[in-house]
Amino acid sequence: MSTSLPRSVDAVAEPLLSLSQVTKRFGNFAALSEVSLDLRDGEVHCILGENGAGKSTLCNVIFGVHRPDGGVMRYRGAPFDPAGPADALGQGIAMVHQHFSLVGDLSVVDNVLLGRERGILNRKECARQLERIAAEYGLPLDPFAKIEELSVGERQRVEIVKCLIRNPRLFVLDEPTAVLLPDEIAALLDVCRRVAASGRAVVLVTHKLAEIKKVADRVTVLRGGRTVATSDDPAGDIGALVRAMIQGNVEALDSSAASILGLEPVTHVGHEPAAKTRIEVLQIDGLSVKDSQGVTRLDNFTLTVDRGEIVGVAGVEGNGQSELTAVLSGMMEATEGRIHLGEIDLTRRSPKEITAAGVGIVPEDRHAVGCVLGMSLAENIYLNRLDEFTRFGFLNRTALEREATSLMQRFDVRARGPAALFSSLSGGNQQKAVLAREMTLPNLSCLVAAQPTRGLDVGAVAAVYGHIRDACKRGIAVLLVSSELDELLTVADRIVVLYRGRVMGSCPADPKRKEAIGAMMAGQPQ
Amino acid sequence: MTSELFAVFLGSSIRLATPLLLAGIGEMVSERAGVLNMSIEGMMLMSAFAAAVGSWATGDPFVGLLFGIVSVLPVALLQAFLSNTLRANQIVSGIGINILVLGATTLAYREIFGARSRAEIPGLAKVKPPLLGDIPVIGPAVFEQVWLLYAGIALIVIVALVLRFTSVGLAIHAAGAEPKAVDKSGLSIARIRYACVVFAGFMASLAGAFLSIGDIHTFTEGMTRGAGYLAIASVIFGKWRIGGTSLACLLFGAATALQFQLPALGIGVPNALLIMLPYLLALLAVGGLVGRQMAPPSLGEPYRR
């Protein structure tokens, strides 16, 4: 018997895709070192790891975007060395990337057709195929809608359908749930299960443990570019997997950080309001913003933040949050409405005047707005107060670096020294430096923090939360804008929900209200 | 204005718009794919010179046209290499090429023609299309044009159809809008952009040849006199659409034609002012009169994975 079926036995024994000792370097930095991984038909295989652990690089190596510098890959029983995405696609590997890559002014059909068909386009036939896939997987889409008219969730659906229509043997999803609403996440995980059930393999990259518990058949954990753990029973091994991911003791972890990971249910770890009597600090009254094309981005936004209060602004990205923080920081002009800080009118003031009035801003894009990557850490920490270190037009670097060093200690900014180039710092340390700058404004009375933990690892997230709570204890009014609902439920006192630029509703930051808030984020008033 | 004069004005507007139209459509294709091809001016000048030399040396204007097309190929490949493979700044590299071509053609012209600079060069034939050409007054004045114009119009129609209905058109649009999407769909950004720059070079070579052997049957130093830049302006004016770009070219052609018409009508406008007119219009167009949001989002940005 065994001699008559050697080939089929081998075919069963050999995984669909195997990586052994795969290494990928960018310059001197090893994004992947000697990573090994097996993917089997019919399984959902989760890749778990913190930001910078090498998850995306791993996906890009499989998809042929990056070529490994070392190691061997085998796919369908043969050596595998894709020359590029075209090669991987041709061999039945499809990938949904972390960031959308859709052409905004083209229709869904055209985006799906891109790179798939040669010669004259048959849009009608493609629309029929789309409708079939939509019905099969529960992913409804209007084939002729333009991408720019679609919501974030619908765009994600287009990305997924783009892959499914190719009928892939291996389906790779790189952090696909980061921008989705709770029920959209459930639908996506369902698609993963269905694809796996049809005998194909799914790779799902995530740092959310709840998703792993729901769909993973097996898990591989990456840390610092290495495989540090694997599990065939993810739900049972979850504690060990988390320890492997963050290389630390879970018990010692800040409980707020643990809830962000989904390790424990979200608990509100807020605080008692500092003052019993309400003192309004930040008053936003009827703020509206129109963009250069006349589209209303923020519509009659009214909010007050009290002394010692943390107010969270929730919403799916692109619903007016960016415009709100841009107006508050003076980077964009409001079309209508007023902003007051106590008695001071801050409407249509310059960023300099707003800073001088005592508003600290942690911008959502720290690289574009929050810092100057090509300048030193010390210069960045005192960027808005460099004139304090200036005498007769010359900068006193000794004093600057001395002061910066003391702030680096206070805010736990780890770097080679105050003269280190800002771009050489890790994301977490860059963000801590920005916080250090904004939170040490002499007359700080209000802090506006937009997506302050984006792209940070768990330790840095906990540090950022700590600083925000400290600010609050000092009696500072905090406006926290975030697309991570769990983050707001953990840190904020009160949550307002933005939908298409309007306030959809507001409620206390009570984890029990999560569903109701999710519904408001989707545009259903509660 | 009498009807005869108007017909002449219309005819010369079209004649003067032709090189802009040819170069402008090529430039539009290149820009739609994301490459701001500033060297269109140099490409036209190169072709104008090579076509003149070819036509003068062989006596056959068609061979001259082929000379023009072939001469632009290395220029286009250089531009594509600089802006895609080396990821150089497209504006600076384009202007560099323009200056290089101006110097090279001037030098070669003096070496080759020297004292014979007044020599008549055989030019491309004019055709009178049936029916249209038979209309009294308007027929000969408006529709009797060099055949290259009609060939160019046919080419433009083909370009419009390709952009609208084929996978190539889709890939070109996506390359200028969201190059990452193109890369991830398995197509090659480099191949698309190289091809589009070379196509722009081909169209510019037709435009350049039209200037020297289609229109005035001679070559003069730096004879494009900014026509390539006007072609770029017409792409912006036309919001990166075929119809808009063509209309903008016609407008610039008409503005140039006014130089010759107004004096004939006895209207005393300083000639220098009229020469400025198309460039003034172009300045208004580029200066935001039509808004910038229509530009391909990745225009001018070399692609990096």
Side-chain angles (χ1 to χ4, degrees):
Chain A
M1 278 299 286
S2 61
T3 49
S4 64
L5 289 168
R7 277 188 65 222
S8 67
V9 168
D10 275 352
V12 170
E14 181 153 13
L16 175 66
L17 174 73
S18 69
L19 277 69
S20 61
Q21 312 283 309
V22 167
T23 298
K24 174 69 197 172
R25 272 184 287 273
F26 295 105
N28 288 326
F29 171 69
L32 293 177
S33 12
E34 301 180 350
V35 168
S36 297
L37 178 74
D38 281 347
L39 300 174
R40 299 174 194 151
D41 283 318
E43 73 169 353
V44 176
H45 193 121
C46 283
I47 311 282
L48 181 65
E50 291 204 276
N51 290 296
K55 293 169 296 182
S56 290
T57 311
L58 179 64
C59 294
N60 283 329
V61 164
I62 295 174
F63 193 56
V65 176
H66 298 316
R67 266 204 142 134
D69 298 312
V72 180
M73 292 198 282
R74 288 180 70 78
Y75 176 63
R76 289 170 141 177
F80 180 57
D81 181 24
D87 202 356
L89 283 166
Q91 301 196 49
I93 300 178
M95 177 166 167
V96 172
H97 295 263
Q98 194 172 2
H99 303 289
F100 296 161
S101 48
L102 297 168
V103 187
D105 59 346
L106 290 181
S107 67
V108 173
V109 163
D110 282 0
N111 271 280
V112 171
L113 279 172
L114 180 64
R116 271 193 75 230
E117 216 174 86
R118 284 181 187 281
I120 294 165
L121 301 169
N122 191 343
R123 294 185 166 102
K124 274 188 188 147
E125 169 59 25
C126 180
R128 272 196 292 276
Q129 280 184 333
L130 271 180
E131 268 154 23
R132 215 186 51 236
I133 297 262
E136 193 179 331
Y137 290 95
L139 297 163
L141 277 173
D142 171 5
F144 294 103
K146 274 193 180 178
I147 297 296
E148 57 201 6
E149 295 159 2
L150 301 182
S151 72
V152 175
E154 287 169 316
R155 287 180 203 199
Q156 178 74 282
R157 250 179 261 160
V158 178
E159 289 280 19
I160 291 166
V161 167
K162 245 169 82 177
C163 290
L164 290 178
I165 210 163
R166 289 175 182 264
N167 199 13
R169 183 78 187 273
L170 172 60
F171 189 21
V172 183
L173 297 109
D174 187 4
E175 297 212 36
T177 60
V179 293
L180 300 185
L181 292 167
D183 58 336
E184 288 171 340
I185 293 176
L188 176 79
L189 297 181
D190 186 45
V191 170
C192 291
R193 280 258 56 103
R194 284 193 213 196
V195 173
S198 66
R200 293 171 281 177
V202 177
V203 174
L204 179 66
V205 171
T206 185
H207 61 266
K208 292 181 182 165
L209 298 178
E211 291 168 11
I212 286 180
K213 284 186 196 161
K214 261 184 213 153
V215 295
D217 294 310
R218 293 200 301 144
V219 172
T220 296
V221 183
L222 290 184
R223 191 182 66 233
R226 294 177 180 277
T227 3
V228 289
T230 54
S231 164
D232 289 340
D233 175 22
D237 296 341
I238 207 94
L241 293 173
V242 173
R243 270 191 293 280
M245 174 171 92
I246 60 177
Q247 193 184 23
N249 196 337
V250 183
E251 283 72 41
L253 203 64
D254 184 291
S255 64
S256 56
S259 64
I260 286 301
L261 286 171
L263 190 58
E264 46 187 67
V266 176
T267 46
H268 184 67
V269 289
H271 53 93
E272 291 303 305
K276 293 283 177 236
T277 49
R278 292 183 56 208
I279 302 169
E280 292 183 355
V281 176
L282 180 67
Q283 297 153 306
I284 306 169
D285 188 18
L287 207 61
S288 294
V289 174
K290 281 190 182 144
D291 66 13
S292 57
Q293 285 155 57
V295 180
T296 302
R297 294 287 170 183
L298 198 62
D299 193 358
N300 197 16
F301 181 87
T302 300
L303 177 75
T304 58
V305 186
D306 293 347
R307 200 178 132 76
E309 188 188 29
I310 304 177
V311 175
V313 176
V316 177
E317 249 173 83
N319 276 287
Q321 298 96 319
S322 303
E323 288 77 7
L324 176 64
T325 43
V327 169
L328 289 176
S329 56
M331 300 290 284
M332 197 184 236
E333 231 174 63
T335 339
E336 269 173 73
R338 313 214 60 84
I339 305 164
H340 285 269
L341 187 74
E343 301 295 305
I344 315 165
D345 186 353
L346 284 184
T347 320
R348 290 199 193 94
R349 294 301 184 87
S350 69
K352 193 181 170 117
E353 289 169 308
I354 290 171
T355 306
V359 181
I361 306 277
V362 180
E364 78 181 327
D365 187 344
R366 70 177 161 265
H367 288 162
V369 188
C371 66
V372 185
L373 285 172
M375 280 166 58
S376 77
L377 171 58
E379 287 162 341
N380 270 286
I381 284 189
Y382 280 101
L383 197 57
N384 51 4
R385 279 177 283 160
L386 279 178
D387 45 356
E388 289 173 20
F389 298 93
T390 307
R391 274 208 160 183
F392 313 114
F394 291 99
L395 194 61
N396 181 350
R397 277 184 197 279
T398 323
L400 175 71
E401 290 182 4
R402 191 177 58 235
E403 292 297 315
T405 308
S406 83
L407 275 189
M408 280 168 63
Q409 278 161 4
R410 227 177 102 195
F411 284 83
D412 189 29
V413 182
R414 284 172 216 173
R416 224 175 52 244
L421 204 60
F422 205 70
S423 55
S424 70
L425 272 63
S426 75
N429 284 311
Q430 290 179 347
Q431 189 70 313
K432 282 189 255 180
V434 172
L435 270 170
R437 177 178 75 215
E438 299 300 324
M439 292 189 54
T440 52
L441 286 177
N443 56 344
L444 183 74
S445 62
C446 175
L447 181 71
V448 178
Q451 321 284 4
T453 60
R454 175 172 293 165
L456 305 191
D457 58 33
V458 179
V461 168
V464 169
Y465 291 169
H467 288 306
I468 289 177
R469 278 198 218 100
D470 282 350
C472 181
K473 279 188 199 126
R474 279 163 55 195
I476 288 160
V478 180
L479 187 67
L480 176 61
V481 180
S482 174
S483 50
E484 293 277 347
L485 184 50
D486 287 346
E487 170 166 298
L488 296 174
L489 288 170
T490 309
V491 182
D493 299 313
R494 191 155 62 87
I495 291 180
V496 296
V497 180
L498 267 181
Y499 177 74
R500 302 223 167 134
R502 289 171 162 273
V503 175
M504 209 60 205
S506 96
C507 67
D510 180 352
K512 289 192 210 87
R513 304 274 190 110
K514 189 173 175 180
E515 247 112 81
I517 297 171
M520 285 194 272
M521 285 164 69
Q524 291 148 14
Q526 295 292 304
Chain B
M1 200 185 285
T2 63
S3 58
E4 282 90 356
L5 266 179
F6 183 71
V8 169
F9 169 66
L10 215 58
S12 62
S13 295
I14 292 172
R15 183 171 50 84
L16 291 163
T18 304
L20 300 180
L21 196 63
L22 292 167
I25 296 300
E27 176 67 18
M28 192 207 71
V29 170
S30 167
E31 289 195 19
R32 284 277 286 271
V35 181
L36 181 58
N37 188 7
M38 286 294 282
S39 59
I40 209 97
E41 171 86 4
M43 291 171 171
M44 285 173 72
L45 188 58
M46 181 60 115
S47 168
F49 174 70
V53 170
S55 178
W56 170 74
T58 65
D60 184 347
F62 187 75
V63 176
L65 180 61
L66 292 180
F67 265 59
I69 294 169
V70 172
S71 72
V72 170
L73 194 65
V75 183
L77 285 174
L78 175 64
Q79 172 74 55
F81 179 70
L82 288 171
S83 49
N84 293 309
T85 310
L86 297 186
R87 303 194 180 94
N89 181 310
Q90 295 174 0
I91 293 174
V92 176
S93 61
I95 290 175
I97 289 175
N98 290 345
I99 295 169
L100 180 73
V101 171
L102 178 60
T105 52
T106 302
L107 176 71
Y109 174 70
R110 288 178 189 170
E111 289 296 316
I112 295 173
F113 287 87
R116 292 163 299 193
S117 63
R118 288 279 137 211
E120 174 78 2
I121 295 170
L124 297 166
K126 285 192 174 184
V127 291
K128 206 166 90 175
L131 294 176
L132 286 175
D134 297 333
I135 303 168
V137 185
I138 300 173
V142 178
F143 294 108
E144 197 180 328
Q145 300 276 4
V146 176
W147 63 265
L148 194 53
L149 166 65
Y150 291 104
I153 290 172
L155 264 175
I156 289 164
V157 171
I158 292 170
V159 169
L161 293 174
V162 166
L163 286 181
R164 182 95 183 76
F165 295 110
T166 70
S167 60
V168 175
L170 196 58
I172 290 173
H173 181 98
E178 187 69 43
K180 271 207 163 66
V182 177
D183 191 17
K184 286 169 184 169
S185 74
L187 297 171
S188 160
I189 282 286
R191 201 182 289 178
I192 295 168
R193 289 189 170 171
Y194 262 85
C196 286
V197 172
V198 169
F199 177 75
F202 169 70
M203 294 300 280
S205 72
L206 299 186
F210 185 92
L211 279 179
S212 64
I213 58 173
D215 192 3
I216 57 173
H217 299 199
T218 187
F219 179 84
T220 56
E221 293 167 13
M223 76 181 299
T224 44
R225 290 193 306 169
Y229 298 115
L230 275 184
I232 293 172
S234 65
V235 174
I236 299 171
F237 213 173
K239 298 190 179 185
W240 290 268
R241 303 269 157 209
I242 294 229
T245 305
S246 306
L247 281 178
C249 291
L250 280 175
L251 180 68
F252 291 150
T256 315
L258 271 184
Q259 287 169 33
F260 309 110
Q261 290 297 306
L262 288 187
L265 287 170
I267 298 169
V269 184
N271 200 36
L273 211 62
L274 290 172
I275 293 172
M276 276 168 57
L277 189 59
Y279 302 94
L280 206 61
L281 278 176
L283 208 58
L284 286 175
V286 182
L289 202 71
V290 290
R292 292 191 64 90
Q293 70 275 23
M294 306 297 291
S298 296
L299 179 59
E301 286 169 23
Y303 178 66
R304 204 179 287 270
R305 219 176 231 173

